[in-house]
Amino acid sequence: MKRQNGNGRSRMTRSALRRKRLPFYKKNSFIISSFLIVIVLIGIFVFWKANSSNNTASTQPSHKVEKVKPKKETKKKTVKKAKKTTKTPKVTKDQPAKQVEKQPEKKQEATPIKNPGTYNDLTYDTDWYTFKISNEVKLIKDANGDAALLVKYNYTNKTNNNEVPQQVQNNAIMLKQDGKQLAATTATGDNAAIVNSSNNGQVQPGKSFDGALLVKVGSTTSEVTMYFKNIQTNAWLDSTQPLKLD
């Protein structure tokens, strides 16, 4: 028997003998099994840790915020606005109420014109006025010493308003010499009073006034022609009055 064991050992290599003589904790089988056991233990620990964390998470109170209603509700005080009362003022005897009544507008009807203008025998007549031309027509000197023609007249106001003779005659009577209209000029000396009163004085309705007009002439020999207006059409009448200066 000893020979057989000896022969068996002689057949094994040195490396095999060395491995066979190693202690159990250095053998590969022990190391592998130990490694597997460690892996299993680690897995069990991880599984246990995960379960324990889930249990603790479920047992912990939630951090949700809930609205808490107060025990006593405070009612807001409603402030009542005072109504504005408009008091109507009392009318006393000392201060009577003024009532403005709208009166219907009166339409002024234009008075129809019967005589728009006629001239005959040195008389220029209309529904509004009458000019009677005087025979006293003469050349004089104006305030500047220039030649001027003085024509006296009698004016009657037929309107219902005060009228200025000079304004009426300036609008209704025109004087021309050599085709040019003659312009009014200023009087001097004894003739200034009658000309100025005609230019500035007012004649009341139904009243007459002795006045005069004064115009500057360009020639002391050429004839001057007077024209009279139609108050309805504002056209000049066909009848004229020639005035000779020589």
Side-chain angles (χ1 to χ4, degrees), residues 46-93:
V46 171
F47 180 76
W48 173 79
K49 190 70 175 175
N51 289 335
S52 63
S53 61
N54 290 333
N55 292 332
T56 54
S58 60
T59 56
Q60 289 180 355
S62 61
H63 295 281
K64 294 181 180 179
V65 178
E66 295 181 356
K67 294 182 179 180
V68 180
K69 294 182 179 180
K71 292 181 181 180
K72 293 182 181 179
E73 295 182 356
T74 57
K75 294 182 180 180
K76 294 182 179 179
K77 294 182 180 180
T78 56
V79 180
K80 293 183 179 180
K81 294 183 179 179
K83 294 182 180 180
K84 293 182 180 179
T85 56
T86 56
K87 295 182 180 179
T88 56
K90 295 181 180 179
V91 179
T92 61
K93 293 182 179 180

Side-chain angles (χ1 to χ4, degrees), residues 65-235:
V65 178
E66 295 181 356
K67 294 182 179 180
V68 180
K69 294 182 179 180
K71 292 181 181 180
K72 293 182 181 179
E73 295 182 356
T74 57
K75 294 182 180 180
K76 294 182 179 179
K77 294 182 180 180
T78 56
V79 180
K80 293 183 179 180
K81 294 183 179 179
K83 294 182 180 180
K84 293 182 180 179
T85 56
T86 56
K87 295 182 180 179
T88 56
K90 295 181 180 179
V91 179
T92 61
K93 293 182 179 180
D94 296 335
Q95 296 177 351
K98 295 181 180 180
Q99 295 180 353
V100 179
E101 295 180 357
K102 292 184 179 179
Q103 297 180 355
E105 295 181 358
K106 295 181 180 179
K107 295 183 179 179
Q108 295 180 354
E109 296 181 358
T111 305
I113 297 175
K114 296 179 180 180
N115 181 14
T118 56
Y119 182 76
N120 186 25
D121 194 16
L122 298 178
T123 300
Y124 169 44
D125 187 38
T126 69
D127 284 353
W128 297 346
Y129 44 76
T130 298
F131 280 92
K132 290 183 178 182
I133 308 302
S134 172
N135 287 327
E136 190 177 355
V137 177
K138 59 182 179 180
L139 287 171
I140 62 171
K141 296 289 184 180
D142 64 4
N144 296 324
D146 298 325
L149 179 64
L150 178 69
V151 180
K152 292 184 179 180
Y153 59 78
N154 177 269
Y155 164 76
T156 301
N157 181 10
K158 293 183 178 181
T159 67
N160 296 324
N161 303 316
N162 294 344
E163 298 290 345
V164 179
Q166 187 274 338
Q167 293 179 358
V168 178
Q169 66 93 50
N170 187 46
N171 180 59
I173 300 175
M174 176 176 62
L175 287 84
K176 281 187 176 183
Q177 185 183 46
D178 297 330
K180 295 181 180 179
Q181 184 175 353
L182 301 180
T185 185
T186 306
T188 185
D190 297 336
N191 297 312
I194 189 171
V195 173
N196 291 337
S197 61
S198 301
N199 294 341
N200 303 318
Q202 292 186 352
V203 180
Q204 295 179 354
K207 301 294 182 179
S208 297
F209 171 79
D210 290 329
L213 62 86
L214 184 67
V215 292
K216 184 178 179 180
V217 294
S219 172
T220 57
T221 58
S222 298
E223 188 177 81
V224 174
T225 303
M226 296 183 70
Y227 295 84
F228 308 95
K229 184 173 286 187
N230 183 318
I231 61 174
Q232 190 170 22
T233 63
N234 283 329

